[in-house]
């Protein structure tokens, strides 16, 4: 899994232990880009990912949460590149072990990192421009401040 919320020295977290608690299955591929990749960085990458010996695992589509977004899958509906919303962010699953540096899979990893980076910048810009709601505790204190100001105006 890749996650911006478990950052390592390069700024992106690589989570190995999470995958062991999910029922992954080996699949031989090839793996095809889904329509969900159209408006993402994945669209600029390979449209087909190769199966590489026994180096690729995935999760059956029916085992994924409903809010998972699948970017690459096999004809037998095994998702090998997908994301799952997690807290305020997302976790990206890449089902390749990178034992061999196959160019298509390396490109996909780099595009996944870039996709997460772009989203992080977009969220930061949205919060700076106040397009996103402030956290609930800040929202409550802002409402109290407004009420206090209204009461002061009424007294004056």
């Amino acid at each position: 899994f890749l996650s911006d919320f478990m950052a390592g020295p390069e700024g992106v977290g690589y989570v190995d232990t999470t995958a062991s608690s999910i029922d992954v299955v080996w699949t031989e591929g090839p793996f095809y880009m889904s329509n969900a990749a159209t408006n993402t960085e994945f669209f600029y990458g390979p449209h087909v990912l190769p199966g590489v010996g026994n180096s690729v695992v995935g999760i059956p589509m029916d085992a994924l949460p409903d809010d998972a977004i699948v970017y690459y899958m096999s004809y037998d509906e095994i998702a090998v590149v997908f994301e799952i919303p997690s807290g305020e962010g997302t976790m990206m699953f890449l089902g390749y072990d990178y034992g061999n540096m196959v160019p298509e899979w390396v490109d996909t990893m780099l595009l996944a990192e870039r996709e997460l980076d772009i989203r992080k910048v977009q969220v930061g810009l949205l919060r700076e421009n106040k397009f996103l709601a402030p956290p609930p505790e800040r929202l409550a204190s802002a409402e109290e401040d407004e009420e206090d100001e209204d009461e002061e105006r009424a007294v004056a």
Side-chain angles (χ1 to χ4, degrees):
F1 285 98
L2 292 175
S3 174
D4 271 335
F5 298 96
M6 297 177 200
E10 291 87 29
V12 177
Y14 297 89
V15 184
D16 295 331
T17 56
T18 307
S20 64
S21 65
I22 297 174
D23 292 331
V24 296
V25 297
W26 173 81
T27 182
E28 65 182 71
F31 310 100
Y32 301 93
M33 182 184 289
S34 74
N35 290 337
T38 304
N39 293 321
T40 69
E41 293 301 301
F42 291 113
F43 187 73
Y44 301 105
H47 289 256
V48 178
L49 294 173
V52 183
N54 61 357
S55 295
V56 183
V57 296
I59 298 178
M61 295 282 290
D62 59 1
L64 290 172
D66 291 337
D67 54 356
I69 301 170
V70 177
Y71 298 113
Y72 289 90
M73 69 178 152
S74 63
Y75 274 128
D76 55 350
E77 295 192 340
I78 304 296
V80 296
V81 177
F82 61 88
E83 72 175 81
I84 301 173
S86 176
E88 290 185 22
T90 189
M91 290 179 61
M92 191 85 62
F93 177 88
L94 302 171
Y96 184 61
D97 68 8
Y98 292 92
N100 295 312
M101 299 306 276
V102 176
E104 295 90 345
W105 280 98
V106 171
D107 288 349
T108 302
M109 180 179 60
L110 296 172
L111 291 168
E113 289 179 354
R114 192 161 73 190
E115 179 69 22
L116 292 174
D117 286 345
I118 288 170
R119 290 183 194 176
K120 189 168 41 175
V121 168
Q122 289 172 338
V123 167
L125 290 173
L126 288 172
R127 284 194 174 139
E128 277 181 25
N129 292 316
K130 300 181 183 177
F131 292 116
L132 291 180
E137 64 275 0
R138 287 193 8 216
L139 184 60
S141 66
E143 289 173 357
E144 290 171 5
D145 292 344
E146 286 179 21
E147 289 173 9
D148 292 342
E149 288 175 11
D150 290 341
E151 288 175 14
E152 289 174 10
R153 283 189 207 121
V155 172

